Amino acid sequence: MTPPPAIAVLGSTNMDLVAYVPTAPRLGETVTGSAFRTIPGGKGANQAVAAARAGGAVSMIGAVGADDFGTQLRTALADAHVDTGGLRTVGGASGIAHIVVDDDGGNSIIVVPGANGTVGGLADGDDARIAAAGALLLQLEIPLSGVLAGARAARAHGVRVVLTPAPAQPLPGELLANTDLLVPNEHEAAALTGTSDPYKAAAELLATVPEVVVTLGAEGSLYAARGAEPVLVPAPRVQAEDTTAAGDTFVGALAVASGEGRPMPEALAWASAAAALSVQRAGASASMPYRHEIDAFTG
């Protein structure tokens, strides 16, 4: 039996404080919500859970606070069969994300980093965790110095680096030079390149990284690689309830499919199916599908 793909994730772990409303409030406006939930999240932890549920052997590197949220976050990752040996506990509060979800499934998010802000580099054992993986998943909810340290370690050990450039911000040249696959959504791609055309954005990004996937929400994903024609992979048509963490679900599932050696268009279609399943459910990690569900959906 082929072992599952080994995936390391270096990134944020947050408690998501989610309010559901008919319409998101405008500045100065108060609205009445229909429900409130606390759900484990954070882009790093989300990608770790998504990859583990999709069938990967996942190790999480990051930090939580010495508070009740930290205990809950660690337990949630362990319950998802994510190795938490690289998840530090530091003094102070865990990271939180305040999320407003409207009746159309759209969301707006405020992130307070908390313990995530302490992950400015690698700790003892992290280099070995990265070296043991086939891929390292990175995002930008921890300090850039920590992201860059992870990318350097991965490159030194020949580990594939997959970077989700969110929240969008200018990226150091050294980070891009150590990235194998960049996965922005269409808004992040526009912020990085100054063009809203995903094909033009992808072409421009290929000057800095060898492969790019621009996620386009309901329209699917655009894959571009140096020396090849771009490929648009459609997404399944579903009714979205909550789009929170759909992108993280996509990246986690993509890492598993790629780690299994699937051709990129097939891997993207499988990852899109995982994301489509997730948006039909409420919450971040709580909405992420298991491998058997993705396989059944793709038929």
Side-chain angles (χ1 to χ4, degrees):
M1 183 175 178
T2 303
I7 298 166
V9 182
L10 171 60
S12 59
T13 305
N14 292 330
M15 185 61 78
D16 291 347
L17 312 177
V18 189
Y20 296 88
V21 296
T23 304
R26 294 168 296 182
L27 186 64
E29 180 183 18
T30 298
V31 300
T32 299
S34 58
F36 174 78
R37 294 177 181 150
T38 56
I39 306 170
K43 294 193 72 64
N46 287 344
Q47 292 185 4
V49 171
R53 289 188 175 182
V58 183
S59 175
M60 179 72 202
I61 302 170
V64 294
D67 56 6
D68 288 343
F69 283 164
T71 301
Q72 294 169 35
L73 291 167
R74 185 181 294 277
T75 298
L77 285 164
D79 287 347
H81 303 291
V82 173
D83 182 346
T84 60
L87 189 64
R88 319 164 200 172
T89 297
V90 300
S94 298
I96 65 99
H98 181 274
I99 303 173
V100 176
V101 180
D102 65 27
D103 281 352
D104 292 327
N107 63 70
S108 57
I109 305 174
I110 299 171
V111 174
V112 181
N116 297 304
T118 69
V119 188
L122 301 181
D124 290 345
D126 291 347
D127 186 81
R129 292 182 180 91
I130 293 170
L136 173 66
L137 307 187
L138 299 170
Q139 324 77 35
L140 302 177
E141 288 184 343
I142 61 172
L144 270 175
S145 59
V147 178
L148 186 52
R152 287 183 187 130
R155 179 53 56 89
H157 294 293
V159 175
R160 180 172 170 82
V161 174
V162 180
L163 173 62
T164 303
Q169 57 186 281
L171 300 178
E174 185 183 359
L175 177 57
L176 291 168
N178 285 301
T179 295
D180 297 292
L181 173 64
L182 188 68
V183 191
N185 64 26
E186 54 193 317
H187 307 294
E188 292 150 4
L192 289 170
T193 64
T195 176
S196 59
D197 182 325
Y199 285 87
K200 292 180 180 178
E204 185 171 329
L205 291 168
L206 286 179
T208 58
V209 295
E211 294 180 273
V212 177
V213 173
V214 181
T215 59
L216 305 171
E219 300 307 311
S221 56
L222 177 66
Y223 172 65
R226 291 173 181 168
E229 289 295 315
V231 178
L232 180 64
V233 179
R237 295 293 179 180
V238 298
Q239 180 62 46
E241 176 185 346
D242 181 356
T243 58
T244 306
D248 295 328
T249 302
F250 177 93
V251 171
L254 178 61
V256 172
S258 298
E260 292 173 347
R262 304 191 199 193
M264 187 59 83
E266 178 186 334
L268 290 169
W270 199 73
S272 291
L277 287 167
S278 77
V279 301
Q280 298 177 74
R281 307 167 180 173
S285 59
S287 72
M288 293 171 175
Y290 291 88
R291 184 184 186 92
H292 71 271
E293 296 176 300
I294 307 171
D295 286 340
F297 189 70
T298 55

